[in-house]
Amino acid sequence: MIKNWFKLISLIAVTMTGALLIYGTHDMPAWGDPNSPANSHVSPRYILEATQKTATPNIVSAVLADYRSYDTLGESAVIFTASISCLFLLRRIRGRKEGEGKI
Amino acid sequence: MLEYILAKYNFWIYVILMMIGLYAMMGKRNLVKKLIGMNIFQTSIILFFVSIGVKAGDATVPILKGDGHGHGEHLIQVADYLNPLPHVLMLTAIVVSIATTGVALATLILIYKRYNTLEEDEIMAIRKDASSYKTQR
Amino acid sequence: MGEVIYSAKPLWAVLVSMIAAFLILLTGEKARNLREGWTILAALIKFVIVFSLIEPVLAGKTIEYTLINLLPGVALQFRVDAFGLLFGVVAATLWIPTSFYSIGYVRTLNEHGQSRYFFSFAMCLSSAIGVAFAGNLLTLLIFYEILTIATWPLVIHHEDESAIMGGRKYLIYTLTAGCTLLLAIGITYSLAGTLDFTGGGFLAGHGTPGLLILLLVMFIAGFGVKAGIMPFHEWLPSAMVAPTPVSALLHAVAVVKAGVFGCVRVILFVFGPELLHQLGVWTILAGVVAFTVVVAGLLALGQDHLKRRLAFSTINNLALIILGVSLLSKNAMTGGILHIANHAFMKITLFFCAGAIYAKTHKDHVSQLDGLGRQMPFTFAAFTIAAMGLSGIPPVNGFISKWFLCLGAVETHQIIFLFVILTSAMLDVAFFFPIIYNGYFKKPLPDVAAKIDEAPMIMVIPLCLTALFSIVFGIMPNAFLNFFNIVRLAVTNVLGG
Amino acid sequence: MSDQLPAFIIIAPLLGAFLTPVIGWRYRHLCRPWALMILAVPLYAAGGALLQVIESGPFGYNLGGWAPPWGIEYRIDHLSGLMLVLIAAIGLLAAISAKPGITMDIRGKEANFYTLLLLQITGLLGIVITGDLFNIFVFLEISSLSGYGLIAHGEDGAPMATFNYIIIGTIGASFYLLGVGYLYMATGSLNIADLATILPNLYHSKVILVGFAFFTTGVAIKMGLFPLHTWMPDAYTTAPNPVSALIAPLMTKVAAYLMIRIMFTLFQPDFAISVVPVATILGWMSVVAIIVGGIKALAQTDIKRMVTYIMIAEVGYIVMGISVMNRPGLTGAILHIVNDACMIFCLFLIIGAISYKGHGREIYHFQNLNKKMPWTMAAFVITALSMCGIPPACGFFSKWYLILGTIAAKQWVFAITLLASSLINAILFFRIIEKAYLAPLDSGAHSHDHDHEEEIIARDEAPASLLIPILITTAIIIILGPFSGKIIDLVIQHAVPATF
């Protein structure tokens, strides 16, 4: 009973979130519009400049590793964090029994 | 009307996907299912982002044709190449999603070791017993 | 107002006992004499600093010291004017006898937690001086709140059930009051854009009458809790579980007086007589406190516990002070403000006596005091003097303030208030004189010693001194500390001319 | 050197984190000095950056030399300078104080612990320093992931609490990312300063509205604003003590910082007032948060859990200050971010010290603790008084500005809620202080004239590495109070939008 009640609440919340997101699409530029703000404000410069400035024909690589290289540093830090987290949680220390002091 | 739907439908599909994932995260009682929901949610956001960068027409992947030093066969036209930025962002987001999944799986291992189950209701029941045992003591 | 002197003296007056408080805590139980030495030293230094401020203030100057700017128009600021100085002088002067007396009291009774006791005591005094010298409402509130907290360890000192309950009640009342004040001060600031005390008030011309009346109610309720105005007095008798010197300090010098001081500050220096006349609320205010005066007097009659009886007498007298000020006439104001000082000297004597009796004989009920006057003649003589003073009998100082109060009541043409003041004096007689009668004239109880057997000298001398000063100030109100001149100056500051 | 100062704020702890496992491989005992040394760098650099901001105004730093809308930029203004110093200082103190807690809960995994701690601080610093919306997301994930790892290593129940935190936290971060996506779609930019100039023309676009809604919801989840707080009490209660001391005060405050950034820098203030009624909604949510947080805290007997519920109420304070949308309110909110971080940090440190000494966390375990741990309990009393808003501790001053803000906005319910909450705090803390300082009531032997025959209770104070940070934080709590005017004068008043 409670379970279903909880699911109902989730369903309502999810529906509302989805409705809000779809409501937001109303004012969006059409899909694939080459003149949409996203395609015309910052990114053209990458396409036009990237080869001269970074000597890389692959613009995605140029942006990833140069213009926004700092994001990429963060990205590697994220992976590093995750690996250390997993290590931290799962490594067993000798001389300490698993589940010691726990139920 | 049809034009409107054609202009928006793919955003809607991603939103629906997102909501499937979100519902799994909130409504499911099995922890692995929650995690799968999380992956669906994140993946659909990635798809959503990537679709922002699409340009209708002849646009192609943002790898320049030419010698790599700006002296291409023809002048670079912005409309010829897809918007590279969303792709870049999503490369990072994919990594983030994988990392989160990894840590979540690690906690799931801990949870399973401790409770021998991944059903939230059963875990709650076990914890309730444990705490009432503690207070009796 | 005249010339302004910028000097750090007010700050030092506050800091000296705060520093002493921490030295006391660090010294601890191991070196008792050194610890008590800090108390006495701080008390003396504080008195010297405060005393040195009297002369410039009487010359019409104001001493100012800004610590830190907090808001545009509001600073953490000390400003010593005549009214603040009066409270400051009273607190600083009475701390000296109280510290000696405290030492005697705690050592005689071998109390626990003495370091905590002296620490809190010194903190109380610091914040009381801070309240006195605060230059604006926010600074006042800051020290007022510190005072609230610093008093709590004293109230719960005995750590038994009634003490803890009393402490809880005390905290609930005073912290709620503090919150009310914070809100009221916030509203005041958003109305007037300043919080600096100004003789004659600074709120005139701001806000609607309805809001101003609400504000006044909040202020009086906020400060009135500590001052024990009637619907909010409940905590005071409960807090009587504290050790007697604490009660003396609480009721005579620091805590409740800080409440009264705050009320008077708000009435005279925030709202101002003119605004209150305009709003037409002064009669209501005076009516409320007059009610407190009479009812507290009647309730005191019914108390057998000596300290509770004194507590109700305190409520009665504090209400009398506020009554005098809220009558808004010159003489009533003079009487009310002067009564702050006079009541302090008399009430501290009474509590000292109660404490001396308790320390010596462990008696704390009025009905147990039969014949004790023969065993403890000095204590009872001092008690008699102070009781006479509170009942308004010359030549003790209480007579002067009551005289001015009566004059003021006549000035306002509201004879009812004259009756209230006179009734209160008669009630004072009614609840004090049975004690004196019991002590001197009733057949001694079997356990009363036949010969003179006083409490330790360190307790008896302070109480004799305060009693003596009560008489001296009754005959020469301007002796030593220039109380009367200070009061006159304070009233002039408010009314102008 | 001084030009490159901002870069050191992030790079030092990040590289330090990369190297920590290498050092810990062979020399495990060197991890701690290494981490402390590394953490001193961002503190120094952040202090320098703040001074520079105070002297010559906000400045940017282009990473890799790429101009802002194309590259990523650091943007240090008064608000972020203040936050950087706060995070770096609390991070350093937390690292110093972590030692006893590690020997208790995390023995043998020092290297991993310090790596995650450094990454956590890197993430928090990065969120604050960067001027790029997507970069904020990356750092948010660094801090979240390291937080998940650290919290899951706690007592029984921690993995479950962490899993809930991961799910809800990911929803929050993803909502934030969706917000970025919507904004990017409508504007084509990711740089905050650039967006701030583009956005005002688009305020009535539904894309922007939805983007804003998702931003706020995502951030509200991260800061634990009332209906979205469900992950918080479990996660912070079950986390190891040094971890809760590090994450609990900072994560919520950084999220609050993000909320201020979004509402006042990214968008113009009147967007949240006139275009969408977000301010009103947030205000009432904060009222509920304060009341519910207070009542739930009253119901707890475990002090650590109690503090987490108090945190929910304190988040309500900050949001209330933001929602009244005027100068004193926002000043109070920013001041409260600083004050509350210090107070919550100090409370968790004290809880850590008490647990380290083997005392339980239930209120009845506090019996006689003043004799065993006098310094710790003195710090506790001062922090408690600050939480109740007793001057001169810092809590009073932020409360004062918050109340001025609510009065200026004529929101009387808000003002009364604030006051009621400080009374609730007084009850919460005085019941513990009574327990700790007063003799037990039921012993009965407490006659009036007992002759020093109380049982002698040996002093048993926490180790210096824990006690000294506690005392430093307590001193900061007291000093921040009277000097709040100075902080506002130098820093916070410039952080408040000029239109207020």
Side-chain angles (χ1 to χ4, degrees):
Chain A
M1 189 62 211
I2 291 169
K3 217 162 126 186
N4 292 335
W5 175 78
F6 184 79
K7 287 196 169 176
L8 189 68
I9 296 273
S10 322
L11 196 63
I12 293 170
V14 167
T15 320
M16 282 169 63
T17 318
L20 188 65
L21 281 168
I22 289 181
Y23 168 80
T25 59
H26 179 72
D27 280 350
M28 277 185 184
W31 180 51
D33 179 6
N35 297 318
S36 69
N39 291 341
S40 59
H41 176 47
V42 171
S43 70
R45 181 129 161 211
Y46 293 133
I47 299 172
L48 293 174
E49 269 191 7
T51 25
Q52 287 99 336
K53 293 258 166 106
T54 65
T56 315
N58 186 337
I59 306 170
V60 172
S61 309
V63 178
L64 187 77
D66 207 332
Y67 287 93
R68 298 187 67 90
S69 55
Y70 192 60
D71 266 352
T72 314
L73 179 66
E75 180 190 321
S76 52
V78 166
I79 272 291
F80 178 68
T81 312
S83 55
I84 295 287
S85 285
C86 293
L87 214 63
F88 184 58
L89 292 178
L90 300 178
R91 210 175 74 182
R92 293 176 194 206
I93 300 298
R94 258 167 296 156
R96 203 176 145 178
K97 263 182 270 162
E98 194 55 40
E100 193 182 45
K102 322 266 157 92
I103 44 164
Chain B
M1 187 62 200
L2 186 66
E3 211 169 278
Y4 182 76
I5 294 173
L6 276 180
K8 307 282 154 124
Y9 78 97
N10 92 314
F11 296 131
W12 296 349
I13 290 171
Y14 300 140
V15 168
I16 290 164
L17 255 180
M18 263 179 231
M19 292 311 113
I20 292 171
L22 191 60
Y23 176 75
M25 286 166 92
M26 289 165 70
K28 291 289 170 192
R29 307 300 287 166
N30 183 298
L31 300 184
V32 178
K33 284 184 182 166
K34 282 191 170 195
L35 190 57
I36 293 171
M38 189 173 99
N39 268 311
I40 298 175
F41 188 45
Q42 288 179 320
T43 311
S44 56
I45 291 177
I46 290 165
L47 289 170
F48 176 85
F49 255 89
V50 169
S51 75
I52 298 175
V54 172
K55 288 176 191 169
D58 297 336
T60 176
V61 284
I63 298 173
L64 294 173
K65 301 161 196 154
D67 62 357
H69 293 279
H71 311 295
E73 291 153 23
H74 51 83
L75 213 62
I76 301 167
Q77 289 290 328
V78 174
D80 287 346
Y81 299 99
L82 298 178
N83 181 351
L85 192 55
H87 299 87
V88 174
L89 301 183
M90 284 312 106
L91 279 171
T92 309
I94 290 167
V95 169
V96 166
S97 145
I98 291 166
T100 317
T101 313
V103 177
L105 284 171
T107 56
L108 282 186
I109 292 174
L110 288 182
I111 292 170
Y112 190 75
K113 270 185 192 160
R114 201 162 294 175
Y115 304 106
N116 265 324
T117 175
L118 287 174
E119 291 291 331
E120 201 173 354
D121 300 332
E122 292 174 20
I123 295 171
M124 289 303 156
I126 294 171
R127 291 191 58 185
K128 212 171 181 182
D129 288 352
S131 66
S132 63
Y133 169 68
K134 216 191 270 176
T135 46
Q136 275 165 23
R137 195 169 45 170
Chain C
M1 286 235 193
E3 192 187 339
V4 177
I5 306 172
Y6 296 93
S7 154
K9 271 185 189 171
L11 177 67
W12 283 113
V14 173
L15 278 187
V16 69
S17 44
M18 217 174 266
I19 295 167
F22 287 101
L23 287 174
I24 288 166
L25 213 53
L26 287 178
T27 311
E29 203 64 48
K30 280 165 235 149
R32 282 172 140 205
N33 288 331
L34 178 63
R35 183 185 66 197
E36 267 81 303
W38 294 124
T39 308
I40 306 276
L41 188 68
L44 290 175
I45 296 176
K46 192 192 268 294
F47 177 74
V48 170
I49 295 174
V50 175
F51 189 78
S52 72
L53 294 175
I54 294 179
E55 194 190 345
V57 169
L58 277 181
K61 293 169 187 162
T62 317
I63 294 118
E64 211 175 277
Y65 186 75
T66 307
L67 209 56
I68 285 159
N69 281 309
L70 290 176
L71 276 179
V74 180
L76 202 58
Q77 187 186 47
F78 296 110
R79 184 154 8 84
V80 187
D81 60 0
F83 180 53
L85 185 68
L86 178 81
F87 183 37
V89 170
V90 170
T93 313
L94 287 181
W95 192 26
I96 301 174
T98 315
S99 3
F100 282 107
Y101 181 85
S102 286
I103 295 167
Y105 185 84
V106 292
R107 290 198 177 175
T108 313
L109 290 176
N110 210 353
E111 288 280 350
H112 68 123
Q114 293 186 13
S115 298
R116 180 178 78 195
Y117 174 90
F118 283 109
F119 168 80
S120 313
F121 223 112
M123 286 304 274
C124 273
L125 256 295
S126 265
S127 36
I129 297 286
V131 167
F133 290 167
N136 55 44
L137 272 172
L138 192 64
T139 317
L140 179 70
L141 179 70
I142 288 173
F143 285 105
Y144 192 78
E145 294 276 41
I146 300 176
L147 183 61
T148 303
I149 295 302
T151 314
W152 181 70
L154 296 174
V155 173
I156 50 112
H157 184 79
H158 284 317
E159 300 186 14
D160 54 10
E161 186 155 4
S162 63
I164 290 176
M165 286 304 160
R168 283 184 192 165
K169 203 184 250 181
Y170 166 78
L171 272 185
I172 291 169
Y173 274 86
T174 47
L175 287 180
T176 315
C179 286
T180 317
L181 283 177
L182 187 61
L183 188 59
I185 293 174
I187 296 173
T188 310
Y189 179 72
S190 66
L191 284 180
T194 175
L195 292 173
D196 289 355
F197 295 125
T198 318
F202 60 82
L203 265 180
H206 298 284
T208 57
L211 184 61
L212 285 178
I213 290 172
L214 179 72
L215 206 54
L216 182 69
V217 170
M218 283 164 77
F219 269 123
I220 296 297
F223 286 119
V225 165
K226 275 215 180 95
I229 291 179
M230 214 49 173
F232 317 114
H233 70 288
E234 212 2 69
W235 65 273
L236 224 166
S238 313
M240 276 304 125
V241 289
T244 311
V246 174
S247 309
L249 177 93
L250 250 105
H251 295 280
V253 190
V255 180
V256 291
K257 281 291 157 58
V260 171
F261 182 82
C263 282
V264 177
R265 271 286 194 218
V266 167
I267 293 171
L268 298 183
F269 293 80
V270 174
F271 281 84
E274 268 177 47
L275 182 60
L276 289 178
H277 271 300
Q278 270 174 31
L279 293 173
V281 286
W282 69 272
T283 37
I284 303 167
L285 179 60
V288 170
V289 278
F291 172 80
T292 308
V293 170
V294 176
V295 175
L298 288 173
L299 284 174
L301 279 177
Q303 307 297 329
D304 189 37
H305 193 289
L306 180 56
K307 276 167 70 183
R308 280 182 75 89
R309 190 175 280 199
L310 293 180
F312 278 104
S313 152
T314 306
I315 297 174
N316 161 307
N317 277 286
L318 296 173
L320 208 56
I321 295 172
I322 301 174
L323 176 64
V325 173
S326 57
L327 288 178
L328 300 178
S329 76
K330 192 175 174 191
N331 282 327
M333 237 182 263
T334 314
I337 296 175
L338 189 60
H339 203 53
I340 292 180
N342 289 347
H343 171 248
F345 277 88
M346 294 181 291
K347 190 44 70 55
I348 207 167
T349 313
L350 290 177
F351 274 108
F352 281 172
C353 293
I357 293 168
Y358 180 77
K360 186 68 209 165
T361 65
H362 284 218
K363 288 176 177 171
D364 52 7
H365 282 75
V366 174
S367 51
Q368 298 169 330
L369 302 181
D370 296 2
L372 211 58
R374 292 171 216 179
Q375 185 191 335
M376 307 177 77
F378 291 105
T379 309
F380 262 79
F383 192 95
T384 311
I385 291 168
M388 277 166 65
L390 280 181
S391 321
I393 298 171
V396 191
N397 57 2
F399 167 73
I400 301 178
S401 30
K402 295 218 168 172
W403 170 250
F404 274 102
L405 282 173
C406 291
L407 279 184
V410 174
E411 262 176 24
T412 55
H413 306 293
Q414 299 271 7
I415 300 305
I416 175 94
F417 293 123
L418 180 63
F419 273 116
V420 168
I421 295 164
L422 293 177
T423 315
S424 134
M426 272 187 275
L427 284 170
D428 281 327
V429 174
F431 59 69
F432 278 131
F433 278 70
I435 304 173
I436 300 167
Y437 177 82
N438 284 1
Y440 282 121
F441 303 114
K442 275 233 178 128
K443 190 163 161 276
L445 289 174
D447 56 347
V448 173
K451 61 176 177 15
I452 293 177
D453 187 15
E454 273 283 5
M457 271 303 134
I458 198 167
M459 295 171 77
V460 175
I461 291 173
L463 67 88
C464 289
L465 275 178
T466 48
L468 190 66
F469 274 109
S470 301
I471 298 180
V472 171
F473 292 140
I475 300 165
M476 296 183 290
N478 264 329
F480 309 121
L481 300 173
N482 279 311
F483 276 138
F484 195 62
N485 286 341
I486 298 176
V487 172
R488 283 256 281 270
L489 185 63
V491 173
T492 322
N493 282 346
V494 174
L495 293 176
Chain D
M1 166 72 192
S2 70
D3 298 350
Q4 308 296 328
L5 211 56
F8 281 95
I9 296 175
I10 302 298
I11 297 302
L14 192 57
L15 292 184
F18 285 142
L19 288 177
T20 313
V22 181
I23 292 170
W25 193 267
R26 275 277 157 263
Y27 309 101
R28 201 195 287 154
H29 60 281
L30 279 184
C31 284
R32 183 178 142 85
W34 166 253
L36 296 186
M37 202 175 75
I38 288 295
L39 279 172
V41 178
L43 182 58
Y44 171 79
L50 182 61
L51 284 182
Q52 196 179 332
V53 170
I54 289 169
E55 258 170 40
S56 51
F59 61 96
Y61 174 87
N62 299 343
L63 284 155
W66 297 106
W70 292 277
I72 292 171
E73 125 184 277
Y74 282 164
R75 190 84 205 141
I76 302 177
D77 59 6
H78 291 88
L79 182 56
S80 50
L82 183 68
M83 289 299 292
L84 288 174
V85 173
L86 178 74
I87 295 166
I90 289 189
L92 181 60
L93 282 175
I96 294 172
S97 65
K99 192 181 173 195
I102 291 174
T103 55
M104 206 167 113
D105 296 332
I106 319 175
R107 190 190 293 280
K109 296 183 181 175
E110 283 87 349
N112 292 352
F113 173 81
Y114 282 112
T115 314
L116 289 177
L117 183 136
L118 285 172
L119 285 167
Q120 172 79 37
I121 293 165
T122 314
L124 295 171
L125 287 170
I127 296 172
V128 172
I129 201 173
T130 185
D132 188 280
L133 282 183
F134 189 77
N135 205 230
I136 290 179
F137 171 74
V138 174
F139 281 114
L140 195 64
E141 283 299 331
I142 295 180
S143 65
S144 302
L145 283 170
S146 52
Y148 302 148
L150 287 169
I151 291 171
H153 204 284
E155 60 194 57
D156 178 45
M160 195 56 213
T162 312
F163 189 78
N164 278 330
Y165 181 23
I166 293 179
I167 294 292
I168 297 175
T170 307
I171 294 178
S174 301
F175 274 17
Y176 176 85
L177 188 60
L178 266 176
V180 175
Y182 271 60
L183 252 60
Y184 179 68
M185 186 173 274
T187 61
S189 179
L190 290 171
N191 184 279
I192 293 178
D194 192 32
L195 277 165
T197 58
I198 302 173
L199 278 177
N201 304 320
L202 297 167
Y203 274 172
H204 290 278
S205 158
K206 293 186 178 83
V207 189
I208 301 296
L209 288 185
V210 175
F212 182 78
F214 276 82
F215 264 138
T216 350
T217 320
V219 170
I221 287 175
K222 284 282 173 193
M223 72 197 276
L225 183 58
F226 166 65
L228 311 169
H229 69 282
T230 43
W231 57 273
M232 211 160 91
D234 275 342
Y236 291 157
T237 311
T238 53
N241 287 322
V243 174
S244 355
L246 172 70
I247 302 179
L250 290 180
M251 194 65 218
T252 49
K253 304 302 171 289
V254 168
Y257 159 86
L258 266 187
M259 184 172 261
I260 293 175
R261 261 287 167 254
I262 290 166
M263 290 179 72
F264 297 98
T265 313
L266 187 58
F267 289 84
Q268 299 296 315
D270 51 306
F271 179 77
I273 304 168
S274 48
V275 184
V276 273
V278 177
T280 325
I281 297 170
L282 281 179
W284 288 100
M285 273 165 83
S286 69
V287 169
V288 180
I290 292 172
I291 293 169
V292 173
I295 290 171
K296 291 282 260 180
L298 276 175
Q300 306 304 324
T301 53
D302 177 344
I303 176 176
K304 201 170 174 190
R305 191 170 278 274
M306 184 189 101
V307 174
T308 59
Y309 279 107
I310 291 174
M311 273 173 66
I312 292 168
E314 302 283 322
V315 166
Y317 281 31
I318 297 169
V319 175
M320 184 180 277
I322 297 172
S323 74
V324 293
M325 291 284 169
N326 53 37
R327 182 167 275 274
L330 189 56
T331 309
I334 297 172
L335 193 61
H336 202 64
I337 288 180
V338 178
N339 293 348
D340 193 47
C342 295
M343 294 188 291
I344 297 283
F345 177 60
C346 195
L347 282 177
F348 275 111
L349 283 187
I350 290 166
I351 293 166
I354 291 168
S355 316
Y356 179 72
K357 279 291 154 195
H359 306 295
R361 298 198 309 243
E362 300 287 321
I363 290 178
Y364 62 82
H365 287 134
F366 275 68
Q367 193 77 66
N368 279 329
L369 218 52
N370 72 319
K371 303 215 174 66
K372 291 175 198 153
M373 310 173 78
W375 289 104
T376 312
M377 286 318 289
F380 179 78
V381 169
I382 288 169
T383 317
L385 292 181
S386 178
M387 296 291 282
C388 313
I390 306 288
C394 58
F396 171 80
F397 291 90
S398 37
K399 199 162 286 178
W400 161 249
Y401 284 99
L402 288 172
I403 283 186
L404 279 186
T406 55
I407 290 170
K410 302 228 181 322
Q411 295 282 13
W412 304 112
V413 180
F414 291 10
I416 289 165
T417 313
L418 277 176
L419 295 173
S421 153
S422 47
L423 287 180
I424 291 176
N425 277 354
I427 297 172
L428 284 172
F429 283 107
F430 270 98
R431 61 180 183 167
I432 299 171
I433 294 174
E434 264 184 9
K435 198 73 189 167
Y437 277 86
L438 304 188
L441 273 185
D442 45 332
S443 72
H446 209 88
S447 67
H448 189 80
D449 47 346
H450 41 82
D451 316 298
H452 293 97
E453 54 194 26
E454 296 162 55
E455 49 177 323
I456 305 297
I457 296 161
R459 189 178 282 203
D460 186 21
E461 210 24 291
S465 58
L466 195 47
L467 188 60
I468 289 169
I470 289 177
L471 295 181
I472 291 174
T473 319
T474 314
I476 291 173
I477 287 172
I478 297 175
I479 291 167
L480 272 180
F483 284 91
S484 49
K486 200 100 191 156
I487 298 172
I488 288 163
D489 224 29
L490 285 176
V491 183
I492 296 179
Q493 64 155 327
H494 303 288
V496 179
T499 47
F500 279 3

